[in-house]
Amino acid sequence: MNQIRKYIFCTGGVLSGVGKGVTAGSVGRILKARGASVSIQKLDPYINVDPGTMSPYQHGEVFVTNDGAETDLDLGHYERFIDENLTQASNVTTGQVYAEIIARERRGDFLGGTIQVIPHITDEIKRRIALVGEQTDAEVVIVEVGGTVGDIEGLPFLEALRQMRQDVGRHNTFYIHVTFLPHIGATDELKTKPTQHSVRELRSLGIQPDAIIARADHPVDESLRDKISLFCDVERQAVIPLVTTPVLYEVPLLLEDAGLGDFIAKRLQLQVEKPDLEEWRHLVNRIRTPKPSVPLAIVGKYVELHDAYMSVSEALDHAALAHGWDVDLRFVSSEHLERGRGWDRLREVAGIVIPGGFGERGIEGKVDTARWARKNKVPYLGLCLGLQVMIIELARHALGNEEPNSTEFDARTEYPVIDLMPEQRSIVDKGGTMRLGLYPCQMKPGTKAAQAYQEPLVEERHRHRFEVNNTYRDMLSEAGLVFSGLSPDGRLVEIGELEDHPFMLGSQFHPEFKSRPTRPHPLFKAFVGSAIQYYRSRTSDGSAEQEVHPTRSAEPEP
């Protein structure tokens, strides 16, 4: 272990979803503002190797790193807050840890010894924690443990964190516990008892928190801070109230203004500068400034859980902010559209995003949406699957029938305009078998994509198996599709756009993963700019009436 590197461990209590990920990212931001180099890691107690094969309803979106790791959505928060590209080492699961130990045991690495949680599992967890700092050379590594204290799945991780204090030294570790203060409506008061029980549980595992983040939906008065400090044996200045804010990116400022940054720097003996958060304060002020809103829709099949499209909605907000606008975001179910419901909601918006996804469910509703956007000249941004359904729809329009499809949805289609890569055909396993991570994209000059990027060659993050079938490129070109981004060897379609449309563009990659609050992604910025222009033109001349597409059969081709 590196005796100089500092570690901050973030645990949660009382309930899940309390905001550990945002807290970890915010701590990273306030330390980076002091000149410290920072990296962050998420420890997930579930036995899945990674969230790549999990339903978004179970785990929200899957966030993809530059090196192709399929990770927890909290890594998206981390990257957006600290503006650093994380790696596969930044997400560790129980499944990964046990798979590694079992593989080593099968190879005979333990010389016939009995394999136990302590020390074998905990040592592997500690090795993976240390790996983040070794790969990034970060001065401070922030580690968040998923779940809540008391979960049986998280016990090996908490034991490893307890051992870390002995391994690297007391002045090199700092424990933050994030809890929730429930509000009792009948008496109009916040209660600290759940926090006290949570800290007691943590202390029974051998970990004494150095700071407590007290999350609440109502103001936390000083007497409550005194009470938490007394009963949880934490210094008064280290009890940090964090009241719910409508501006997510304000959290670092709230923690900084409460004194957490200085407290951590002093306790860890960090040699840092005075914090420079001016750019971040300017960002929050711009978010808070009243602005006009542009109505946009995300059309998908997981719309009941907004976390399934976390990075997409954040990227839209970043882009709109750069234009001086807010986003009025509507979530529309593609399955409802298939049944003729929800088209009135699309009629109200000035731009449509179809995000990535897998499986046949809701696909025809997305194809119908692409048709509707094409015919009504509504700005459209397709992300991965969004590009594919755009191409399926255009091929159907060009051939005058409903046969063109992806072999993912119809293996016997006569016109497989979207198909597997040849090297993917023999693969059976679903996990980690896609085109994942950064791949280069060469721009075609004079296109909307080239104008957005202002760079001839870019690298973007992918997560997919199926590609545009090159057999149909000529047909699609004749139908008006411009292949504005290709792989450098010309084999793979990366970006496609319609030449006779104000903005109808799809990317085979996921640009949302690289968007930052202070540096919006070029494609999102261009899309939102087109949507704002469309919205202004529609509202200025009063021509809000558009053709509504209830079903495919009800709308004849123009």
Side-chain angles (χ1 to χ4, degrees):
M1 294 286 183
N2 189 325
Q3 295 297 316
I4 299 175
R5 187 164 291 124
K6 311 294 183 178
Y7 295 91
I8 298 174
F9 302 113
C10 189
T11 59
V14 181
L15 48 79
S16 61
V18 75
K20 297 190 305 299
V22 172
T23 298
S26 298
V27 169
R29 166 51 59 180
I30 61 179
L31 292 179
K32 189 175 179 181
R34 288 167 163 76
S37 59
V38 175
S39 193
I40 311 185
Q41 181 183 57
K42 175 74 180 288
L43 304 179
D44 267 315
Y46 54 73
I47 301 177
N48 304 65
V49 173
D50 59 46
T53 56
M54 296 171 68
S55 165
Y57 284 132
Q58 293 282 320
H59 209 257
E61 77 171 5
V62 175
F63 187 83
V64 178
T65 57
N66 279 353
D67 59 355
E70 297 175 282
T71 71
D72 182 79
L73 64 80
D74 273 328
L75 268 72
H77 287 312
Y78 303 160
E79 286 202 0
R80 288 187 286 271
F81 275 88
I82 69 173
D83 198 11
E84 299 285 345
N85 293 322
L86 302 179
T87 68
Q88 188 168 6
S90 289
N91 198 189
V92 177
T93 69
T94 294
Q96 292 172 6
V97 172
Y98 275 83
E100 173 66 23
I101 293 300
I102 291 171
R104 290 176 58 194
E105 186 274 332
R106 293 289 84 186
R107 291 196 304 265
D109 292 1
F110 298 107
L111 303 177
T114 301
I115 311 305
Q116 297 177 294
V117 173
I118 304 172
H120 302 98
I121 297 299
T122 51
D123 281 354
E124 176 63 15
I125 293 170
K126 291 189 292 181
R127 184 188 72 81
R128 289 174 180 253
I129 291 173
L131 189 63
V132 177
E134 293 168 5
Q135 288 186 351
T136 63
D137 201 30
E139 298 173 65
V140 181
V141 175
I142 301 170
V143 181
E144 176 200 347
V145 182
T148 57
V149 171
D151 295 344
I152 190 170
E153 299 94 339
L155 291 178
F157 290 106
L158 294 174
E159 170 61 19
L161 266 54
R162 182 196 69 79
Q163 294 178 18
M164 286 289 289
R165 174 156 280 181
Q166 295 295 324
D167 291 346
V168 304
R170 185 166 297 273
H171 292 300
N172 296 325
T173 56
F174 191 94
Y175 297 88
I176 297 175
H177 192 54
V178 185
T179 72
F180 184 71
L181 305 183
H183 179 262
I184 306 300
T187 56
D188 189 27
E189 61 180 339
L190 294 174
K191 289 294 187 180
T192 66
K193 191 62 70 176
T195 294
Q196 295 176 42
H197 283 299
S198 178
V199 172
R200 184 179 302 165
E201 180 77 17
L202 188 63
R203 293 173 70 180
S204 73
L205 299 173
I207 297 175
Q208 168 63 44
D210 297 294
I212 293 176
I213 308 295
R215 283 277 291 106
D217 292 329
H218 296 77
V220 180
D221 63 38
E222 296 303 307
S223 63
L224 291 180
R225 294 182 67 186
D226 292 337
K227 191 173 184 180
I228 293 171
S229 172
L230 176 64
F231 284 97
C232 297
D233 196 21
V234 174
E235 292 184 42
R236 170 66 166 67
Q237 60 180 319
V239 178
I240 310 294
L242 184 56
V243 180
T244 302
T245 170
V247 180
L248 185 70
Y249 296 114
E250 189 179 20
V251 175
L253 302 182
L254 296 176
L255 297 181
E256 174 63 29
D257 293 343
L260 182 62
D262 288 340
F263 186 81
I264 292 175
K266 181 179 179 180
R267 180 62 64 86
L268 289 178
Q269 300 178 354
L270 289 170
Q271 303 299 314
V272 291
E273 309 161 359
K274 290 184 178 180
D276 180 7
L277 285 162
E278 284 309 304
E279 181 185 30
W280 206 260
R281 292 187 188 277
H282 181 60
L283 167 70
V284 173
N285 288 336
R286 283 193 295 139
I287 295 173
R288 285 193 170 278
T289 300
K291 297 177 287 295
S293 293
V294 57
L296 303 174
I298 291 179
V299 177
K301 63 179 179 180
Y302 302 112
V303 293
E304 294 87 351
L305 182 69
H306 296 179
D307 277 3
Y309 306 112
M310 175 71 73
S311 291
V312 177
S313 58
E314 287 294 312
L316 290 171
D317 285 337
H318 303 162
L321 184 63
H323 287 285
W325 284 63
D326 280 330
V327 173
D328 177 10
L329 190 57
R330 325 282 178 85
F331 290 87
V332 180
S333 168
S334 59
E335 292 183 279
H336 290 175
L337 296 177
E338 289 179 349
R339 303 183 189 112
R341 307 201 314 265
W343 289 100
D344 55 330
R345 302 188 67 196
L346 283 191
R347 187 180 182 181
E348 300 170 349
V349 303
I352 297 168
V353 178
I354 294 187
F358 297 90
E360 186 178 1
R361 184 166 60 87
I363 284 299
E364 291 302 326
K366 296 177 183 180
V367 174
D368 292 344
T369 300
R371 176 182 283 119
W372 188 84
R374 174 180 60 80
K375 295 180 68 173
N376 290 286
K377 306 293 184 184
V378 179
Y380 172 101
L381 179 63
L383 310 174
C384 196
L385 181 62
L387 165 71
Q388 297 177 3
V389 298
M390 180 179 111
I391 286 176
I392 291 169
E393 190 284 320
L394 186 63
R396 291 179 180 182
H397 167 62
L399 294 173
N401 63 60
E402 297 294 303
E403 182 61 24
N405 213 327
S406 167
T407 53
E408 180 181 5
F409 315 127
D410 182 0
R412 295 184 176 87
T413 177
E414 185 178 353
Y415 303 101
V417 291
I418 307 295
D419 201 1
L420 277 176
M421 297 181 288
E423 57 268 31
Q424 293 281 354
R425 295 186 187 279
S426 62
I427 291 177
V428 177
D429 290 344
K430 297 296 185 184
T433 58
M434 295 178 282
R435 186 150 75 102
L436 286 163
L438 281 186
Y439 284 84
C441 173
Q442 187 83 42
M443 295 297 153
K444 181 177 181 178
T447 59
K448 291 184 178 67
Q451 184 179 3
Y453 276 105
Q454 295 292 305
E455 293 182 47
L457 183 70
V458 299
E459 289 188 317
E460 293 285 0
R461 302 181 188 180
H462 294 65
R463 183 179 182 248
H464 63 97
R465 290 186 183 87
F466 293 79
E467 303 279 357
V468 177
N469 190 336
N470 291 330
T471 305
Y472 297 93
R473 275 205 209 176
D474 290 342
M475 182 199 76
L476 293 167
S477 295
E478 292 172 5
L481 186 67
V482 178
F483 299 105
S484 50
L486 298 173
S487 59
D489 61 7
R491 285 185 59 240
L492 302 173
V493 173
E494 295 286 354
I495 308 174
E497 59 186 62
L498 285 188
E499 57 186 354
D500 61 346
H501 195 285
F503 192 96
M504 190 162 190
L505 182 149
S507 67
Q508 186 61 84
F509 48 80
H510 290 267
E512 66 270 23
F513 294 145
K514 295 185 71 175
S515 185
R516 302 288 186 264
T518 56
R519 197 173 68 260
H521 192 280
L523 291 185
F524 277 90
K525 188 175 179 181
F527 163 71
V528 172
S530 178
I532 291 170
Q533 185 176 0
Y534 173 86
Y535 182 66
R536 280 173 166 162
S537 65
R538 190 179 69 169
T539 55
S540 62
D541 62 14
S543 58
E545 294 300 318
Q546 297 181 41
E547 180 183 5
V548 177
H549 173 21
T551 63
R552 295 190 306 283
S553 60
E555 184 185 49
E557 290 293 336

